[in-house]
Amino acid sequence: MDKIRNFCIIAHIDHGKSTLADRLLEYTNTIKVTEGQMLDDMDLERERGITIKSHAIQMEYQKDGETYILNLIDTPGHVDFSYEVSRSIAACEGALLVVDATQGVQAQTISNLYMAIDNDLEIIPVINKIDMPNAMPEEVADEIIDLLGCKREEILLASGKTGEGVEDILNAVVDRIPHPTGDEQAPLQALIFDSVFNSYRGIIAYFKIVNGVMRPGEKVRFINTKKEYLAEEIGVLKMDMIPRKELGTGDVGYIVSGIKNAVEVKVGDTITTVANPSDSAIEGFEEVKPMVFAGVYPIETEDYENLRTSLEKLQLNDASLSFQHESSAALGFGFRCGFLGLLHMEIVQERLDREFNMNVITTVPNVSYMVYDKHGNAQEVHNPSSMPDPTLIEHVEEPYIHATVITTATYIGPIMTLCLGKRGELIKQEFIAGNRVEIQFLMPLGEIVIDFYDKLKSISRGYASFDYHSAGFRPSKLVKLDILLNGESVDALSTLTHVDNAVTLGRRMCERLKDLLPRQQFDIAIQAAIGGKIIARETVKQVRKDVLAKCYGGDVSRKRKLLEKQKAGKKRMKQIGNVQVPQKAFLAVLKLDE
């Protein structure tokens, strides 16, 4: 056990963790790196240059004639995937905190660092990309010292591109990170921190053994789900899975037990043996809280069951995705999905399309609200269509977040304007080092879910980093804005919005829909309404046929008769005709400011 080191790499997005992980794997001869980011094996990760999934891999390192086993977990850096980071941290004793020498400490660096400190991890600070011409290692070192309170000589300098400083990092991992502690003789306790679906072998769970020993052929029990299985194969994770005859305390590995049903494996569950069971599960593993909700519906109704299976398989691989059944008058049967943010929602949509060949319609994203009625009863509402009647509502509370923006002094003005325009309240503003500023706001989550992050990046030219955590619910004046087409409400386009924004939003939605809805042979009235009050209206004009073309000369009553006949036909058509809303109209509501 004292030769094992479990550690993860945490950093802000784009600070070079995956490239550094490649160098560590190469230096320890674990794999031959043929192309960049070997651990980012998903097409989407390679295309976008971001890590979406945390990846575990085992390395062997020789130091002073001893062989050490290093279990590395590479983690994502984007705020939307912070749940992946929390799971990786739960399975480690130490962390490499990687900071880009050209950009310095950013919001997500601080967020991930606090998460690691809360779990009592040993932190090794690393300044990466020191080979870049615009690197500022001295200034960045000052920022890290302010943040961690460490000594300057404890900070390692490295370059993931050239491989400089990699040996120092490996030596520091062996010397500074404590080995796992646990009791080999105690009943087995293994923490599941990830799982994947394999179409031939069923569900494969990845775990870290906290106490005891695991062997193939034993009967194991998953404590939370109370299910029992036979451990057909266990082993360690290299680039492929390597079977082993025994895994001891502190080891990180995988188990194949022929589980077919996705619901039976929960990330954060504890595995024990049936012969010598442990009484308690491992504590300290938190449930994920979705921040953004959207409806996901199959385009073809008969694909509903396929969509359910696809979401279950995707949930195995991405435990932060949550979903439940819902139905809509406009879109039929589908699911209400909870995401950690907009990028997470976009990635899930892409993965459904690529990995499961599912074409889906996604409704306008929104957040959950607490609705209190006149009797004081509270109800959590995830979508506008389940809002009670306005006359029964005492007040509505919406979720707030504590947002941290780190930027240079140049962009303070525009960022303040953006945040205050989104109903934000300034909590504090302080200079960190040089001309870098940390600004903290209290903001409604509903205001940031659609386009806040994109706007922040564009006004700061990419120099602002953003991170947030939940700050509870606060009372707010919210109204339900309905969109009516020919008097019929389209529930998929309903939104909950602040009363001050309602008229402007309603007007803009009507104008955008007017451009997007195909013309019919009758007028389409597009209206925005709050309760029974219409606040905006646009009309899509009908496609007309010239019924008078065959009349040349003659009496006016002949022409009028033809026009009246046409008018009656149009009226009948309007009563039975329904208006199809194209998918791009749902998406256009998200991009109202463009």
Side-chain angles (χ1 to χ4, degrees), residues 404-466:
T404 307
V405 178
I406 295 181
T407 182
T408 53
T410 328
Y411 303 108
I412 295 178
I415 288 172
M416 289 272 198
T417 313
L418 172 69
C419 295
L420 297 172
K422 297 277 187 188
R423 298 191 284 130
E425 295 169 26
L426 181 65
I427 301 172
K428 71 169 187 180
Q429 170 188 338
E430 61 180 344
F431 281 84
I432 310 173
N435 71 339
R436 286 158 62 75
V437 188
E438 180 182 335
I439 314 171
Q440 292 187 8
F441 284 95
L442 199 63
M443 296 173 75
L445 178 63
E447 292 281 346
I448 72 152
V449 295
I450 292 182
D451 56 358
F452 177 80
Y453 197 65
D454 296 342
K455 283 187 173 172
L456 180 71
K457 282 292 179 199
S458 59
I459 61 174
S460 66
R461 298 186 188 158
Y463 278 104
S465 60
F466 172 70

Side-chain angles (χ1 to χ4, degrees), residues 374-561:
K374 296 280 200 306
H375 307 292
N377 300 324
Q379 175 192 352
E380 193 169 354
V381 171
H382 293 311
N383 69 341
S385 55
S386 51
M387 275 287 269
D389 189 273
T391 52
L392 306 173
I393 297 174
E394 175 66 35
H395 72 279
V396 181
E397 292 187 353
E398 65 175 329
Y400 268 68
I401 55 160
H402 192 121
T404 307
V405 178
I406 295 181
T407 182
T408 53
T410 328
Y411 303 108
I412 295 178
I415 288 172
M416 289 272 198
T417 313
L418 172 69
C419 295
L420 297 172
K422 297 277 187 188
R423 298 191 284 130
E425 295 169 26
L426 181 65
I427 301 172
K428 71 169 187 180
Q429 170 188 338
E430 61 180 344
F431 281 84
I432 310 173
N435 71 339
R436 286 158 62 75
V437 188
E438 180 182 335
I439 314 171
Q440 292 187 8
F441 284 95
L442 199 63
M443 296 173 75
L445 178 63
E447 292 281 346
I448 72 152
V449 295
I450 292 182
D451 56 358
F452 177 80
Y453 197 65
D454 296 342
K455 283 187 173 172
L456 180 71
K457 282 292 179 199
S458 59
I459 61 174
S460 66
R461 298 186 188 158
Y463 278 104
S465 60
F466 172 70
D467 182 48
Y468 61 85
H469 56 264
S470 177
F473 286 79
R474 296 176 68 176
S476 195
K477 287 185 180 171
L478 295 166
V479 288
K480 180 183 170 191
L481 180 69
D482 284 315
I483 298 294
L484 314 175
L485 296 181
N486 281 346
E488 293 285 317
S489 171
V490 182
D491 58 351
L493 286 173
S494 303
T495 51
L496 287 172
T497 180
H498 193 264
V499 74
D500 297 347
N501 305 340
V503 177
T504 346
L505 181 65
R507 198 168 291 144
R508 275 165 37 206
M509 281 173 85
C510 289
E511 286 167 4
R512 182 54 74 97
L513 283 170
K514 182 186 174 186
D515 299 336
L516 288 166
L517 288 181
R519 289 170 71 192
Q520 307 286 344
Q521 295 196 337
F522 50 87
D523 280 355
I524 304 172
I526 305 167
Q527 295 165 309
I530 296 172
K533 182 184 172 193
I534 304 293
I535 56 168
R537 173 184 169 128
E538 293 286 339
T539 308
V540 177
K541 296 308 274 182
Q542 60 191 352
V543 180
R544 294 186 69 93
K545 179 185 174 189
D546 190 358
V547 289
L548 304 181
K550 60 187 177 187
C551 295
Y552 41 94
D555 186 28
V556 71
S557 60
R558 168 95 177 108
K559 293 180 182 173
R560 183 149 304 131
K561 186 180 169 190

Side-chain angles (χ1 to χ4, degrees), residues 356-368:
F356 304 100
N357 222 1
M358 290 299 311
N359 272 337
V360 293
I361 289 177
T362 311
T363 62
V364 182
N366 60 349
V367 296
S368 57

Side-chain angles (χ1 to χ4, degrees), residues 162-179:
T162 62
E164 186 182 340
V166 167
E167 189 177 353
D168 298 342
I169 293 174
L170 289 165
N171 288 333
V173 166
V174 171
D175 297 338
R176 293 198 222 166
I177 292 178
H179 61 76

Side-chain angles (χ1 to χ4, degrees), residues 557-586:
S557 60
R558 168 95 177 108
K559 293 180 182 173
R560 183 149 304 131
K561 186 180 169 190
L562 284 168
L563 287 170
E564 289 299 324
K565 192 176 168 188
Q566 184 188 36
K567 192 172 165 187
K570 297 265 186 204
K571 190 177 176 185
R572 198 165 56 249
M573 206 184 286
K574 187 172 181 173
Q575 286 167 349
I576 59 164
N578 64 343
V579 184
Q580 290 292 323
V581 183
Q583 164 70 1
K584 62 180 180 186
F586 292 114

